[in-house]
Amino acid sequence: MFRNIYGLDLGTYEIKIYDKRRDRIRSAKNVIAIRDEKDIFAVGNAAYAMYEKAPENIQVVFPMHHGVIARFHEMQYLLRALLKREGRYPNGAEYVIAAPTDVTEVEKKAFYDLVHHSAARAKTVRIVDRAIADAVGIGLDVFSAKGIFVVNFGGETTELSVLSGGKTVLSRLLPVGGAALDEAIVGSVRHNKEFLIGRITAEQLRWQCGILKNTNRRKLTVAGRDLAMGVPGDRQISDGLVRAAMKDSLSEIVRAIQSMIERTPPDVRSEILKSGIYLTGGLARSHGLPAYLRQSTGLLVTAHKNPELCAVKGLRTIISDKHYRNLAYEMSDEDYRWLR
């Protein structure tokens, strides 16, 4: 009997699933709504629609935090709900999961345990460094390339990775992502305007204003709460205020990139100086981000057309093409072993 294979890219705010049998990529919000601290009320997109709007007895939570699984059982439940179809759960399937490199062994093993020790009864579980999956999804020849620099901009983290010969040479997971930018915008608006906005509103401002200053300065009207009067209202927020709020977090990422370049072995670094940086992850779609990084680092910066799908597309290739199979490794209770 043919066993299906799933590729999983678990992001902080969104989960992407590749279904080999259907040759289809699906995505859903990585969130779950819990009622009265015990009952699952909604999952995925339905739960996210309640974020910042739910009544007091419903808690909207994100099972992932800073790139790792923070709420294990909720993550298992959510994954089961997303994989379940036609009333049946896909027992005995194989799984290939993209995971960050710069995490502890315990945190990485949680990705393995997620489906291995669950009702899924997984036949096999293999792990792929997310940067490797990103590079394959971009279409890079990871085996022959002497130096590849991938920067994955996510919801709560930014992962910097240097690859060479199909392996990860250096990797660093920064606790800086879209959420940090949004929180900075919320704080700046509160401090400068005495006006309180939600994270979703801050996210909308971030997408609309972009990263780089432009000649057409504008003001955007947003809804929130007037802190002086204590009542709901509208306020105009300038794009300059939004970009200024993001400056510190973006500068931290630039410094981390420069530091990693300096730490990279000379032969690998010389190749990266030629090929530049490849941007992946949902935040890489931010208007002006490639140009900002190009100006700040002096390197060529390339952003994929659909950067949020690079990792899951890489998983699809690793699952479907025998040439790439050895990029995934299986994790046992005692050790890791490369599949040959």
Side-chain angles (χ1 to χ4, degrees):
M1 179 179 175
F2 172 74
R3 296 180 184 273
N4 199 9
I5 306 177
Y6 294 97
L8 306 178
D9 178 24
L10 309 178
T12 301
Y13 296 115
E14 194 166 64
I15 177 172
K16 291 95 175 176
I17 302 172
Y18 169 64
D19 183 332
K20 185 176 188 298
R21 179 175 291 162
R22 298 186 176 187
D23 192 25
R24 184 179 71 177
I25 292 174
R26 292 179 290 163
S27 63
K29 293 297 183 181
N30 198 351
V31 61
I32 191 166
I34 304 172
R35 181 170 53 190
D36 298 327
E37 300 184 352
K38 59 180 180 178
D39 299 324
I40 304 299
F41 184 77
V43 300
N45 296 345
Y48 187 76
M50 304 175 67
Y51 184 57
E52 295 186 339
K53 303 174 185 176
E56 291 184 2
N57 68 320
I58 295 180
Q59 183 184 16
V60 179
V61 301
F62 297 87
M64 300 288 292
H65 183 58
H66 285 162
V68 297
I69 301 171
R71 302 177 69 115
F72 186 82
H73 296 295
E74 285 85 353
M75 189 69 250
Q76 276 191 328
Y77 186 98
L78 174 59
L79 184 60
R80 177 171 181 167
L82 295 177
L83 290 177
K84 190 175 180 180
R85 66 180 189 276
E86 297 177 0
R88 299 181 61 188
Y89 191 45
N91 292 330
E94 299 179 34
Y95 295 84
V96 181
I97 305 175
T101 305
D102 185 27
V103 295
T104 67
E105 295 302 299
V106 172
E107 290 169 334
K108 185 169 289 189
K109 190 172 183 297
F111 287 87
Y112 173 86
D113 291 339
L114 184 67
V115 289
H116 183 73
H117 298 298
S118 73
R121 300 176 186 174
K123 180 185 177 184
T124 61
V125 182
R126 292 179 288 159
I127 304 294
V128 179
D129 290 352
R130 179 174 284 119
I132 295 284
D134 270 331
V136 173
I138 291 171
L140 302 176
D141 186 347
V142 296
F143 293 111
S144 63
K146 294 181 180 179
I148 298 173
F149 197 153
V150 177
V151 180
N152 184 302
F153 289 90
E156 282 191 341
T157 61
T158 297
E159 186 172 13
L160 316 178
S161 302
V162 172
L163 315 176
S164 181
K167 300 192 181 203
T168 303
V169 177
L170 293 171
S171 185
R172 183 181 177 189
L173 193 66
L174 298 174
V176 180
L181 298 180
D182 297 339
E183 289 168 5
I185 294 170
V186 171
S188 182
V189 171
R190 180 170 187 160
H191 176 74
N192 290 281
K193 300 291 185 178
E194 293 190 354
F195 194 70
L196 181 63
I197 61 174
R199 195 195 68 80
I200 291 180
T201 300
E203 181 182 20
Q204 293 170 347
L205 284 171
R206 168 166 56 84
W207 286 117
Q208 292 174 357
C209 295
I211 304 299
L212 279 180
K213 180 179 179 180
N214 55 60
T215 55
N216 298 320
R217 299 193 65 180
R218 56 176 179 158
K219 292 186 177 182
L220 304 169
T221 302
V222 298
R225 179 174 293 276
D226 187 315
L227 294 176
M229 303 296 294
V231 296
D234 295 331
R235 190 65 54 90
Q236 287 190 330
I237 307 298
S238 69
D239 54 0
L241 182 91
V242 174
R243 283 191 289 270
M246 298 187 286
K247 183 177 180 181
D248 287 346
S249 294
L250 293 172
S251 296
E252 181 179 349
I253 293 172
V254 169
R255 288 193 298 270
I257 290 173
Q258 293 169 333
S259 175
M260 183 163 284
I261 291 289
E262 293 173 358
R263 292 168 48 215
T264 300
D267 56 333
V268 179
R269 182 169 62 242
S270 64
E271 291 298 318
I272 290 174
L273 294 178
K274 296 176 186 176
S275 60
I277 300 172
Y278 295 92
L279 305 186
T280 66
L283 195 62
R285 293 173 50 241
S286 300
H287 179 69
L289 182 59
Y292 170 81
L293 292 176
R294 194 178 304 120
Q295 292 177 9
S296 302
T297 66
L299 296 172
L300 174 68
V301 178
T302 302
H304 194 269
K305 182 179 180 181
N306 297 302
E308 70 279 6
L309 296 179
C310 288
V312 72
K313 285 184 176 180
L315 291 175
R316 178 175 61 186
T317 300
I318 291 167
I319 289 169
S320 306
D321 192 330
K322 293 181 179 180
H323 179 63
Y324 292 92
R325 187 170 298 171
N326 287 352
L327 293 173
Y329 55 88
E330 190 171 355
M331 190 178 183
S332 68
D333 291 336
E334 292 82 22
D335 59 2
Y336 296 96
R337 62 184 182 275
W338 288 99
L339 298 181
R340 298 298 179 189

